[in-house]
Amino acid sequence: MIDSNEKLLLVGDNPFHNISHLSQERARARIEDPTDPKYAASLIEMAVENGANGFTFSVSESTLSILKELGERGIIERLHLYPVVPYAFEYVRLATQLGGLPALARKFGLEMVKSKNLSGIGLGLKGALTANPSSLIKTYLGYEISRIKSSVNKRVCIDSVLLHQLITDMALALDLDWLFDLYVNFILSKKMIPGFNTGNFAFLVDKFVEWNIDLRKVIIAAPFNKVGFQMTPSVEECEKALSALPEPVVIAISILAAGYILPEEAAKYIERLPNIRGIAVGISKEKHARETFSLFKNALGGSNISSTEY
Amino acid sequence: MDTEALRIAVVGLGKMGLLHACILNTMPNVQLTAACEKSLFTRKLFKKILPSVPIVEEVHGFSGLDLDAVYITTPISSHFSVAKTVYEDRLARNLFIEKPLTSNYNESKELCDLVANYGGVNMVGYLRRFMVTFMKARELLVQGVIGEPTSFAINAFSSDFYGIREHAKVAASRGGVLKDLGSYTLDLALWFFGNVQVNSAKIESLNGGCSEDAVQYNVKQESDSLRGTVSVSWCIEGYRMPEVVLSIKGSNGAIEVNDDKVSLNLNNGDKSTWYRHNLNDNIEFWLGGPEYYREDAYFVKSITNNSLAEPSFETASKVDLLIEMIQQKAEKHD
C-alpha cells in the first residue's frame, strides 16, 4: 500500500486510447501512434525516468497489453497502478453494437464463463437470476481485478481501483448511497483504496459528508485547472470543497484543460491548491514524457515523491 | 420532496433514458417519479436499484401517477405509439422525445395534430442545439459576421459500425445512419438556414443486410441562393466518438464548427477560434457532457414557464419529411 505522504505523479492513458478532449481532429492527426502498446510503454518508461511514479488507466485489452509490455521491461514494479473500471466507452460501444443492456449482460456472462473463475461465476449467476445489483457489482469488480492481476506479476502495487466517472456520477445523481458503501467496503476488503473518478467533485464531497463516507479512506480523481474546464459547477465551488477535505485525497485530472493551457501555468495553479495528493496527465509525445513530470514534481513538493522500488 | 416539483417519468432505460433520468433527478424542481422498461431483466434490476420509483412494463402503468412530463427514449420505431398513448390516456401534458421524432413523416404529422388538441410543451432531443460551439456558430451567422451564407457542408461521422458486418440487424433496428446520426445534420441545416429542399441523394449499405450505413445528399434553399452538401456515415475508421462538422461559406468569410471548437476566417484576414473553454460551458451537474444538462434544464424551464420549447415536434417533423425526401431521391448502392 502507498505511503500516505507520497505524492502521486500518474501517467494518464487518454492518449493511449487516442482521446483528445480539446479536439478529436487533433487526436486523429497524431503522427506517432500512442495506441501502440510498445510506444505507450516507452513513453511511460521515459516519464518514470523524469519523475512519474504511477499509471492510471481504464481496464481494456489495450491497456492490459501496455501493462504486460511494462512488465517485460521491468518498469512495472516502479509504478503505482490506479486502474479505472469499467471502461465505460467500450461497454457503451458494445451495447450500441449488440443491442442494449440485456445483450451486453449476456456477452459479459460468456466472458465470465471463459474466465473459469468459479466463485465469480456463482456470484454472477446468482446476481443475474435474481437481478441483484450487489452481486452483479461484486462479480464485475472481482472479474476486472482478476484481469489486471493476470496481466502483472505479484510484486506489482495496485494501490487503488477507481470507479469510472460515468458510473460514479450516475450513482451520485440517483442518490445510491448503498452503492458507494458497497464499493468502498469491497475494495477495502481487497486491501486497496476505493477510488472515485468524478466530474462533480463538489457534489460528491457534499454527498459523502451527508452519507458518512470517510473521506480519509478514499481517493478522488477530479478536474482541477486554472480555466475551470470541466470543473462543475464552478472553479469556486470545487476549490471550496477541496479546502474542506480532512486530508489530501485528490488526484487532480484535466490539469492541462485538455492541452488548452501550458504545463507551466497548470503547475503554478496546482501548486497553490490544498489537499492535492497527486496529478494525472496524459502524454502522447516523448517531449511531454521528458518535461511534464519533472515540472509537476516540483509543483507538488519534490521531497515527497519517489519512484517506488519493491 | 418539494410538492411543487415537476413529476417526470422516463420511458426506456437504455443509455439515453438513464442519462436523462439521472440528470433530471439532480434538479431541485424535478422528481423522477416513474420509469417504463420492456426488458424484464432491466426492470427487475432497476426495481432494486431505485426501490422508491415505480418501474412499469407498459406506459399505461403511468396511469394515476399525476405526471407533469414524460421522456420517451425508446427505439425510434416505438416513439409514435408511446407518445400517442401518453396523450390519449392523458398520462402527461408535456413530452420530450429523443431524436428523431418518429419513424416517418405521417406519424410525426399526426403527433403534431395531437399536440394541437392536447397542448403542453413538446420537444425533441437534438442535442447539438445545446452545445456551446454550435450555439456560438449560429450566433455569428445570425449576426451576419460572415455576410450572406452562400454554401455549407456537413460531415457527420462515427465508427459505431466500422467493420462490424455481423451486427447489421442492430444497425437497421436503430433506423439506419440517416435517422440516427443523419438526423442531426438535417436539424442543423434547418436550425442554421431555415427550410431547405433535397436536390439529390445516395444511400449505401456497407455492412450487408438492409442497413443504411452511409448517406450523401445535396440540399438548396428554395431561392437557390444557398446550397449544401452533406455526408453521413457510421462506418468510418478513427471516429471514437461521433463527430459533426459544419462549414459555412459567406460573402465576408467562413465559419467551421464541430463539437470542440468554432473557427472564424474573415475575408479581410481576421481569424478567431473559440473552444468550449471560452464559451461558458459550465452547468450544475456533469453527466455525459454539459449539453445534456443544458437540454434538460431548458425543457424543464419551458414547462415551468409554459413557453414554447425548440426544437418542437413541429420543427422536428421537418427533419422527418427531409429524411423521406432523401430516401425517395436516393439510389441504393450495396
Side-chain angles (χ1 to χ4, degrees):
Chain A
M1 190 75 82
I2 185 176
D3 167 3
S4 60
N5 291 317
E6 187 181 353
K7 296 290 184 184
L8 296 164
L9 288 159
L10 308 179
V11 179
D13 70 335
N14 272 354
F16 306 150
H17 299 289
N18 231 359
I19 299 170
S20 165
H21 289 300
L22 188 66
S23 161
Q24 290 193 70
E25 188 186 345
R26 192 176 72 166
R28 282 195 299 277
R30 281 172 181 145
I31 299 165
E32 304 90 347
D33 182 9
T35 63
D36 171 9
K38 286 187 189 298
Y39 181 68
S42 299
L43 287 179
I44 295 170
E45 188 173 0
M46 197 174 289
V48 169
E49 284 160 10
N50 289 279
N53 59 5
F55 179 38
T56 181
F57 56 95
S58 296
V59 179
S60 68
E61 287 308 316
S62 63
T63 51
L64 294 178
S65 299
I66 295 171
L67 292 187
K68 283 175 188 162
E69 186 66 31
L70 290 167
E72 284 168 18
R73 293 171 186 223
I75 300 298
I76 201 156
E77 286 96 350
R78 296 168 65 188
L79 293 172
H80 295 286
L81 297 183
Y82 282 74
V84 180
V85 296
Y87 182 28
F89 167 78
E90 184 63 14
Y91 286 105
V92 170
R93 192 179 66 86
L94 275 174
T96 300
Q97 289 170 355
L98 298 172
L101 187 62
L104 183 63
R106 279 194 296 276
K107 182 175 169 58
F108 178 66
L110 283 172
E111 291 293 320
M112 282 294 301
V113 171
K114 277 187 212 164
S115 76
K116 295 177 184 169
N117 174 348
L118 292 180
S119 62
I121 294 168
L123 193 61
L125 199 60
K126 180 190 159 201
L129 289 174
T130 59
N132 181 330
S134 302
S135 300
L136 289 171
I137 291 166
K138 285 179 189 172
T139 304
Y140 171 74
L141 290 172
Y143 166 72
E144 290 290 27
I145 291 169
S146 73
R147 274 177 88 196
I148 304 162
K149 287 190 170 170
S150 68
S151 300
V152 297
N153 67 49
K154 284 181 181 169
R155 290 188 299 154
V156 170
C157 178
I158 305 172
D159 288 346
S160 169
V161 176
L162 292 121
L163 194 60
H164 189 280
Q165 180 175 330
L166 188 67
I167 307 301
T168 302
D169 290 338
M170 283 175 96
L172 279 177
L174 295 174
D175 256 330
L176 305 182
D177 51 348
W178 61 267
L179 187 145
F180 287 96
D181 264 337
L182 181 149
Y183 186 80
V184 166
N185 291 327
F186 184 82
I187 298 297
L188 283 174
S189 76
K190 302 285 176 192
K191 312 277 186 239
M192 290 182 278
I193 306 168
F196 299 95
N197 191 331
T198 182
N200 298 285
F201 175 71
F203 194 97
L204 179 139
V205 171
D206 276 354
K207 283 289 177 188
F208 277 23
V209 170
E210 181 188 326
W211 296 334
N212 291 320
I213 292 176
D214 191 344
L215 283 158
R216 289 166 301 188
K217 286 185 179 167
V218 301
I219 283 279
I220 306 166
F224 279 94
N225 54 74
K226 66 174 257 187
V227 293
F229 178 62
Q230 297 185 344
M231 289 174 71
T232 304
S234 65
V235 176
E236 295 74 23
E237 289 297 318
C238 289
E239 289 184 359
K240 197 173 134 192
L242 187 67
S243 302
L245 292 174
E247 281 180 20
V249 293
V250 170
I251 298 172
I253 60 173
S254 299
I255 54 177
L256 303 178
Y260 185 76
I261 50 181
L262 294 170
E264 292 78 10
E265 293 175 80
K268 274 184 195 161
Y269 174 73
I270 294 294
E271 194 172 6
R272 71 171 181 80
L273 295 178
N275 292 325
I276 295 292
R277 178 63 174 278
I279 56 105
V281 60
I283 45 170
S284 59
K285 294 178 179 170
E286 291 181 0
K287 184 177 185 289
H288 300 159
R290 277 196 304 273
E291 296 172 3
T292 308
F293 291 95
S294 52
L295 189 67
F296 284 99
K297 187 173 181 175
N298 292 332
L300 288 174
S303 61
N304 285 331
I305 300 166
S306 63
S307 288
T308 313
E309 301 283 356
Y310 294 94
Chain B
M1 177 60 67
D2 182 357
T3 51
E4 297 294 314
L6 292 177
R7 295 169 62 80
I8 301 184
V10 174
V11 185
L13 287 175
K15 178 177 68 175
M16 296 310 298
L18 269 176
L19 198 120
H20 287 300
C22 288
I23 290 172
L24 290 166
N25 204 48
T26 68
M27 294 182 179
N29 57 341
V30 171
Q31 181 187 5
L32 178 65
T33 306
C36 176
E37 168 58 46
K38 281 274 180 197
S39 153
L40 175 64
F41 173 76
T42 309
R43 213 165 52 243
K44 280 168 74 177
L45 189 65
F46 277 93
K47 277 181 180 177
K48 289 184 176 159
I49 290 174
L50 299 168
S52 62
V53 177
I55 315 283
V56 301
E57 183 180 1
E58 299 288 342
V59 76
H60 301 287
F62 289 161
S63 180
L65 291 177
D66 191 23
L67 298 174
D68 292 296
V70 169
Y71 272 64
I72 299 176
T73 66
T74 53
I76 301 164
S77 58
S78 60
H79 286 183
F80 173 70
S81 60
V82 175
K84 196 173 174 201
T85 305
V86 170
Y87 280 130
E88 291 185 343
D89 290 5
R90 297 182 183 273
L91 300 175
R93 279 191 79 230
N94 309 296
L95 208 49
F96 178 102
I97 301 183
E98 259 309 332
K99 58 90 192 166
L101 177 54
T102 68
S103 338
N104 61 65
Y105 180 63
N106 280 343
E107 287 183 352
S108 293
K109 203 164 166 295
E110 201 178 327
L111 265 193
C112 292
D113 292 341
L114 284 171
V115 166
N117 286 337
Y118 292 101
V121 176
N122 54 89
M123 184 174 153
V124 177
Y126 282 109
L127 188 70
R128 281 180 173 76
R129 290 188 182 225
F130 298 89
M131 275 188 190
V132 282
T133 51
F134 284 93
M135 290 159 74
K136 176 69 181 177
R138 188 168 181 274
E139 183 187 299
L140 292 169
L141 183 75
V142 169
Q143 287 171 346
V145 175
I146 60 164
E148 277 301 307
T150 53
S151 68
F152 71 90
I154 308 178
N155 288 333
F157 298 141
S158 84
S159 303
D160 282 0
F161 291 94
Y162 171 70
I164 305 172
R165 296 186 72 86
E166 68 266 32
H167 299 306
K169 273 187 189 168
V170 177
S173 77
R174 279 177 59 179
V177 75
L178 183 57
K179 285 196 175 79
D180 193 280
L181 194 53
S183 62
Y184 276 123
T185 64
L186 289 162
D187 181 62
L188 283 176
L190 291 166
W191 186 39
F192 274 72
F193 309 112
N195 288 341
V196 290
Q197 298 173 340
V198 179
N199 262 355
S200 61
K202 182 172 129 182
I203 297 176
E204 294 172 276
S205 178
L206 304 174
N207 285 333
C210 55
S211 68
E212 292 174 352
D213 301 312
V215 180
Q216 290 91 42
Y217 65 87
N218 296 301
V219 293
K220 64 168 189 173
Q221 275 184 334
E222 204 171 350
S223 62
D224 207 11
S225 58
L226 175 78
R227 284 175 176 255
T229 307
V230 181
S231 182
V232 186
S233 174
W234 57 20
C235 296
I236 304 270
E237 187 179 10
Y239 286 81
R240 185 178 179 275
M241 301 292 284
E243 185 173 272
V244 177
V245 183
L246 165 64
S247 312
I248 312 165
K249 284 186 182 162
S251 50
N252 297 337
I255 297 169
E256 183 171 292
V257 54
N258 62 26
D259 297 1
D260 306 311
K261 65 177 181 179
V262 192
S263 304
L264 174 68
N265 285 306
L266 294 177
N267 293 346
N268 65 10
D270 288 352
K271 291 181 180 184
S272 304
T273 300
W274 294 266
Y275 289 91
R276 280 177 180 264
H277 313 56
N278 317 115
L279 294 169
N280 188 24
D281 204 17
N282 281 12
I283 32 83
E284 290 300 308
F285 191 87
W286 178 288
L287 193 65
E291 41 279 358
Y292 289 104
Y293 187 93
R294 211 172 281 122
E295 180 181 61
D296 286 342
Y298 170 76
F299 179 62
V300 165
K301 192 176 172 190
S302 299
I303 296 171
T304 310
N305 297 343
N306 198 24
S307 57
L308 178 74
E310 283 289 359
S312 65
F313 287 1
E314 187 69 40
T315 305
S317 69
K318 292 177 185 170
V319 172
D320 299 329
L321 178 61
L322 287 170
I323 287 173
E324 291 192 358
M325 288 166 70
I326 289 168
Q327 286 169 331
Q328 283 164 15
K329 294 250 181 190
E331 300 167 40
K332 286 268 183 183
H333 292 260
D334 293 330

